[in-house]
Amino acid sequence: MENHTNTVKCGVTDCAHYNENRCVANHITIGGENATTADATRCETFVNSGNMVNSCGCSAKGGETTIHCEAKECTHNRDCHCMLSDIDVACSCASCDCGSTEQTFCSSFKL
């Protein structure tokens, strides 16, 4: 299958891949193989930035991203790739300073 690219809107401000409400990683993985709700997914690519600022070695603008999706029940998943052109990654904590992968999720998930 040809790689499908997406734009990833991101609200996880303490991720090293975050830049101006976009994910700047070239490739991300959405976990949650048995997810039936968005809250059961997670961004496996999350890296707590701590004191780092865009130090991941990614593209600086947050352009197109390839998404490997393990959420097999999501309607947008085709052969482990997300078919949406734009997705949203968010955090389940009030401050969006997540601290761990488990506090992130794909809010574009749909059964």
Side-chain angles (χ1 to χ4, degrees):
M1 170 178 238
E2 182 179 321
N3 281 341
H4 180 80
T5 57
N6 319 73
T7 300
V8 180
K9 298 174 193 166
C10 183
V12 186
T13 58
D14 66 333
C15 180
H17 304 292
Y18 174 89
N19 185 7
E20 298 179 4
N21 296 315
R22 296 273 186 225
C23 177
V24 295
N26 294 322
H27 177 87
I28 69 169
T29 297
I30 299 296
E33 181 178 358
N34 298 313
T36 57
T37 64
D39 290 343
T41 65
R42 64 195 168 282
C43 180
E44 297 285 353
T45 312
F46 171 82
V47 175
N48 192 318
S49 62
N51 294 324
M52 300 181 303
V53 177
N54 197 20
S55 60
C56 63
C58 313
S59 64
K61 290 291 182 187
E64 297 293 303
T65 301
T66 303
I67 300 174
H68 174 80
C69 180
E70 296 174 353
K72 62 185 177 186
E73 298 299 324
C74 182
T75 192
H76 308 300
N77 185 332
R78 297 288 181 277
D79 298 323
C80 294
H81 290 86
C82 182
M83 293 289 103
L84 283 178
S85 58
D86 297 308
I87 74 161
D88 291 299
V89 174
C91 56
S92 59
C93 46
S95 68
C96 287
D97 290 334
C98 290
S100 72
T101 295
E102 288 78 23
Q103 293 175 308
T104 65
F105 67 95
C106 177
S107 58
S108 300
F109 175 90
K110 183 179 175 186
L111 273 181

